[in-house]
Amino acid sequence: MAAGKLLMVGAGLSGAVIGRHLAEAGYDITVVDARDHIGGNCHTERDADTGVMVHIYGPHIFHTDDAEVWDYVNTYETFLPYKNRVKTTSVDPKGQRGVFSLPVNLHTINQFFGKTLRPEEAHAFITEEQADTSITDPQTFEEQAMRFVGKDLYEAFFKGYTIKQWGVQPSELPASILKRLPLRFNYDDNYFFHKFQGMPENGYTAMIEKILDHPGITVKLATTFDREMAEGYDHVFYSGPLDGYFDYELGRLGYRTLDFERFTHAGDYQGCAVMNYGEEAVPYTRITEHKHFSPWEEHAGSVLYREYSRSAEPGDIPYYPIRQVKEKALLADYVKLAEQTEGVTFVGRLGTYRYLDMDVTIREALDTARGFLEAVEAGNAAPAFAVAPL
Ligand code: FAD
Ligand code: UDP
């Protein structure tokens, strides 16, 4: 006899990880997803013509400091060594277009300024000659960039890209967006600074398929949730858009969506997985060459995505929550509505309207499932949010 019946809305990482944990605790789990595949935005699919593993909803690199999460993903799939090394095409102070290394490191600085600085010299050059030291407590993206790298690097690598990515001036965005990127005074060009980094050998969808492979779990694809569907279940974990749950009755939370222009190439198109484009005049933000995400495989042909960012309209896939003042005010109203709603916990990137990397998504999913079991044990109702969205 099952401990109870639970519904997971969304077969992405959130729904899969929570569902698996609670299936193991004896619950009968149904997972529904509107799409015709599992995996959510992490979905990967092998291209039939070239054999390349394609990251269908954009490039996904797994990186974390969380040892439990790293062990968790390695239980379900072999992760092979992968370091994200991003390049960017932009224009140097002499007006010369070139390819530079990201995140900004000693190679970038020396190439961009035509210098041969050693680490301490580069540090002194950036902090004393480039950085705007009059900014003591940077609040906006622009202030953060001006304070830490200065105008020249900011304008070449961050300003145009960020305007394209977010559709607003960097002076209107929070400093926290830029804080995701390191600045280094050595030749380390690893895009991330986490202890663990890798790529699933057979793609993310294969991993999520194994997470969902449990006798207590039933998956129903091409099935869009509506509130009547909750009937008969003891609790719902909802990883769809928070405003969507309430049929957008208070208005729509703002998102950026992405358009991927797919193209193929016979051979190696750009020699790396991710090439960013810093100039505002180039309409796309980056080009992804998917075969370089699986460097252990060999493919003659290549599949690429040109990535364009724009404001999400109804019907578009919501990718990046905007979370500016206006959106946060509306979010606060939706949070109140959600807290008055019984029997539902809102989870994941869309359910909590936050930018969440995969490792954080898994961490929160595990904590949410454990918290649910504790609440049941204590005879309490599960909260609307395991992690507060504001
Ligand atoms: P999702 O993956 O969005 O899954 C939600 C699922 O719910 C979807 O499948 C959707 O179809 C379904 N759904 C929604 N509404 C309904 C409904 N009403 N009925 C039924 N089903 C519904 N993270 C990293 O760690 N590294 C990266 O390099 C990285 N790159 C990224 C690049 C891009 C372009 C984007 C957008 C994200 C990236 N991420 C990355 C983040 C990663 O995608 C998320 O952490 C992860 O997908 C969150 O999982 P989730 O299950 O919460 O949400
Ligand atoms: N960014 C930029 N230029 C780049 C790469 C990133 O200006 O070449 C900015 C951009 O605003 C982006 C932010 O830095 O949203 C964080 O970068 P990250 O690579 O983490 O972006 P995401 O994963 O959100 O696409």
Side-chain angles (χ1 to χ4, degrees):
M1 177 69 186
K5 278 183 71 179
L6 304 175
L7 180 64
M8 307 290 136
V9 180
L13 274 176
S14 295
V17 172
I18 297 171
R20 176 64 184 239
H21 197 88
L22 296 175
E24 285 178 0
Y27 282 88
D28 184 349
I29 308 289
T30 303
V31 183
V32 295
D33 202 298
R35 293 171 174 168
D36 63 0
H37 60 76
I38 61 162
N41 282 353
C42 307
H43 178 50
T44 46
E45 211 173 277
R46 220 174 255 294
D47 174 59
D49 294 335
T50 58
V52 170
M53 185 64 82
V54 177
H55 296 203
I56 301 291
Y57 300 94
H60 279 69
I61 299 102
F62 200 92
H63 52 99
T64 189
D65 275 334
D66 190 325
E68 191 195 357
V69 167
W70 182 241
D71 282 350
Y72 185 90
V73 293
N74 278 277
T75 309
Y76 291 104
E77 175 63 17
T78 303
F79 272 69
L80 294 175
Y82 181 84
K83 266 206 181 110
N84 197 26
R85 293 196 171 90
V86 177
K87 302 285 177 265
T88 183
T89 299
S90 196
V91 179
D92 74 11
K94 291 192 179 128
Q96 187 72 35
R97 204 157 184 252
V99 175
F100 301 89
S101 174
L102 282 183
V104 174
N105 64 69
L106 192 47
H107 201 172
T108 325
I109 295 166
N110 277 331
Q111 187 192 355
F112 184 75
F113 292 104
K115 292 183 183 289
T116 56
L117 302 172
R118 291 183 294 106
E120 281 124 25
E121 293 167 339
H123 186 266
F125 172 66
I126 294 294
T127 54
E128 290 161 25
E129 292 178 42
Q130 291 292 312
D132 182 347
T133 49
S134 69
I135 302 167
T136 49
D137 183 18
Q139 296 296 316
T140 68
F141 185 108
E142 183 170 72
E143 286 172 0
Q144 176 75 10
M146 294 296 281
R147 174 70 187 86
F148 286 96
V149 296
K151 188 167 181 283
D152 292 346
L153 288 165
Y154 163 59
E155 289 189 345
F157 299 131
F158 300 117
K159 191 176 178 184
Y161 187 99
T162 297
I163 291 171
K164 290 188 284 185
Q165 172 79 359
W166 293 100
V168 292
Q169 292 299 316
S171 54
E172 293 171 49
L173 292 167
S176 58
I177 295 181
L178 186 58
K179 286 184 188 160
R180 294 211 284 266
L181 301 185
L183 161 65
R184 299 207 185 92
F185 296 104
N186 56 33
Y187 289 100
D188 180 0
D189 62 352
N190 186 351
Y191 200 69
F192 301 117
F193 37 71
H194 288 127
K195 214 184 307 175
F196 309 106
Q197 189 173 166
M199 273 291 175
E201 185 172 12
N202 301 298
Y204 293 100
T205 297
M207 174 179 87
I208 294 170
E209 201 175 317
K210 287 180 218 156
I211 297 175
L212 288 167
D213 182 16
H214 185 281
I217 300 179
T218 306
V219 179
K220 292 182 182 163
L221 296 176
T223 305
T224 301
F225 171 79
D226 61 55
R227 281 182 262 171
E228 284 88 75
M229 220 181 257
E231 206 159 304
Y233 291 97
D234 298 308
H235 197 79
V236 176
F237 290 87
Y238 178 86
S239 70
L242 175 59
D243 51 356
Y245 181 89
F246 297 102
D247 297 326
Y248 310 98
E249 65 177 76
L250 306 175
R252 283 182 181 262
L253 289 166
Y255 277 95
R256 299 293 288 173
T257 192
L258 301 172
D259 294 319
F260 298 111
E261 187 179 85
R262 185 184 184 281
F263 65 105
T264 55
H265 179 78
D268 190 357
Y269 180 79
Q270 60 182 19
C272 64
V274 182
M275 175 68 74
N276 290 356
Y277 286 83
E279 298 152 277
E280 198 182 342
V282 175
Y284 40 89
T285 51
R286 56 184 177 180
I287 298 181
T288 302
E289 184 159 24
H290 294 259
K291 69 177 173 183
H292 295 300
F293 287 126
S294 310
W296 57 90
E297 295 181 0
E298 270 184 43
H299 303 285
S302 202
V303 178
L304 297 104
Y305 276 5
R306 273 188 207 98
E307 191 170 322
Y308 300 80
S309 171
R310 63 177 169 81
S311 176
E313 302 295 332
D316 288 329
I317 299 176
Y319 280 105
Y320 293 97
I322 295 176
R323 289 185 76 93
Q324 284 182 261
V325 176
K326 185 173 80 164
E327 287 80 12
K328 279 194 176 164
L330 184 56
L331 174 61
D333 293 338
Y334 273 117
V335 167
K336 270 189 225 137
L337 262 190
E339 282 167 348
Q340 291 156 12
T341 307
E342 279 173 23
V344 187
T345 299
F346 295 85
V347 296
R349 192 165 156 111
L350 301 170
T352 64
Y353 191 62
R354 286 175 309 145
Y355 183 94
L356 295 183
D357 273 328
M358 291 181 279
D359 61 324
V360 181
T361 303
I362 296 172
R363 156 61 46 213
E364 293 191 358
L366 289 171
D367 290 349
T368 301
R370 287 172 183 148
F372 175 79
L373 293 175
E374 282 167 22
V376 170
E377 180 87 42
N380 297 330
F385 296 98
V387 183
L390 279 162

